[in-house]
Amino acid sequence: MREVAMPSETELLVCVKCRRGQDIPADDRRPGQALYDALADRPLPEGLRLTAVECLQNCDAGCTVALRGGDRWTYVFGNVDEASHPDMLLDGAARYHATGDGLIPWRERPEHFKRNCVARIPPLTPNTPVEAD
Amino acid sequence: MREVAMPSETELLVCVKCRRGQDIPADDRRPGQALYDALADRPLPEGLRLTAVECLQNCDAGCTVALRGGDRWTYVFGNVDEASHPDMLLDGAARYHATGDGLIPWRERPEHFKRNCVARIPPLTPNTPVEAD
């Protein structure tokens, strides 16, 4: 049982079971676990919690992560690479955390976030007008 | 500003802006709005709230809906058809609402849910062991 995130925190969820469509030997580390490990090895931005999750069910376009927390929109991103994307993810997570609603201004949004958003889900307590981006 | 769902309620979120990849004239009703209207015209299962959302950002595989509520996993489903799927969605939503964790038993799960899950996100307060389906 993991700890529960504080409401104001941002949570970066990482699917650690992701095979990214590869045929992974049973005793090998999966790409999703490698992504999680790479993130856990780095200093995390203030206010960010890293959470391992088993299967975010975006298996055809993994690795997959999600950002959520507070009154922000939840975002799910796919096609994440465990070798080249950890720093980008932490930068994007910090930018997300800096917003009140989860909508990173388009010009500041990592290119990968722009092109690989799988879905987003509104906050339970919407505090902002609905926007189309 | 919509009302806030009660914690125990299940919310069926419908992207009302979805064009499903079609070129829709500006004054025509979009497929997403037609889906919402078809659902709103039907009696809703007990405990279910219907919510219109502008853009769940699964635009390439719309129409798109999400189910969430209480301590359940949130599920996002794509490729929803506004003409043939409303009854299936309400049946699936009722089955989802009947669970404590959002995991509809596989044999009871609508076929469309099995094949068109875009992503799922764990509850903030996990109350069940993590499962792979």
Side-chain angles (χ1 to χ4, degrees):
Chain A
M1 179 77 70
R2 66 180 171 81
E3 294 177 57
V4 175
M6 296 293 291
S8 61
E9 279 186 327
T10 287
E11 202 175 7
L12 176 59
L13 305 162
V14 179
C15 177
V16 294
K17 291 295 183 187
C18 188
R19 301 171 181 268
R20 203 194 300 112
Q22 300 173 32
D23 192 13
I24 308 287
D27 57 349
D28 267 24
R29 189 170 64 157
R30 296 184 181 196
Q33 185 65 52
L35 174 63
Y36 179 87
D37 293 346
L39 291 164
D41 279 346
R42 288 166 163 77
L44 296 182
E46 189 182 335
L48 184 68
R49 175 192 292 265
L50 186 63
T51 303
V53 182
E54 297 198 1
C55 200
L56 294 167
Q57 288 197 352
N58 176 47
C59 311
D60 291 340
C63 297
T64 304
V65 303
L67 281 169
R68 70 171 173 190
D71 289 334
R72 302 178 187 87
W73 284 72
T74 294
Y75 279 83
V76 184
F77 301 107
N79 296 311
V80 176
D81 183 78
E82 70 275 20
S84 60
H85 285 160
D87 291 331
M88 175 279 294
L89 281 180
L90 295 181
D91 174 68
R95 294 178 189 275
Y96 174 89
H97 183 68
T99 71
D101 56 10
L103 306 184
I104 305 170
W106 190 255
R107 290 184 182 183
E108 298 175 19
R109 201 174 296 192
E111 286 300 317
H112 191 86
F113 283 16
K114 293 181 184 177
R115 300 171 195 281
N116 296 277
C117 179
V118 173
R120 66 171 195 169
I121 297 156
L124 279 170
T125 51
N127 58 359
T128 53
V130 172
E131 296 183 22
D133 66 339
Chain B
M1 180 75 72
R2 66 181 170 82
E3 293 176 57
V4 175
M6 296 293 290
S8 62
E9 278 186 327
T10 286
E11 203 175 6
L12 176 59
L13 305 162
V14 180
C15 176
V16 295
K17 291 296 184 187
C18 187
R19 301 171 182 268
R20 203 194 300 113
Q22 301 172 30
D23 192 13
I24 308 288
D27 57 351
D28 267 23
R29 189 171 64 157
R30 297 185 180 194
Q33 185 65 54
L35 173 62
Y36 178 86
D37 294 345
L39 291 164
D41 279 347
R42 286 165 163 78
L44 296 182
E46 189 182 336
L48 184 68
R49 175 191 292 265
L50 187 63
T51 303
V53 182
E54 296 198 1
C55 200
L56 294 167
Q57 288 197 355
N58 176 45
C59 310
D60 292 340
C63 297
T64 305
V65 302
L67 281 169
R68 71 171 172 190
D71 289 335
R72 301 178 187 87
W73 285 72
T74 295
Y75 279 83
V76 184
F77 301 106
N79 297 311
V80 177
D81 182 78
E82 70 275 20
S84 61
H85 285 162
D87 290 332
M88 175 277 294
L89 281 181
L90 294 181
D91 174 66
R95 294 177 189 276
Y96 174 89
H97 183 68
T99 71
D101 56 10
L103 306 184
I104 305 171
W106 190 254
R107 290 184 182 183
E108 299 176 17
R109 201 173 296 192
E111 285 300 316
H112 191 85
F113 283 15
K114 293 181 183 175
R115 299 170 195 281
N116 295 276
C117 179
V118 174
R120 65 172 196 167
I121 297 156
L124 280 169
T125 52
N127 58 359
T128 54
V130 171
E131 297 184 23
D133 65 342

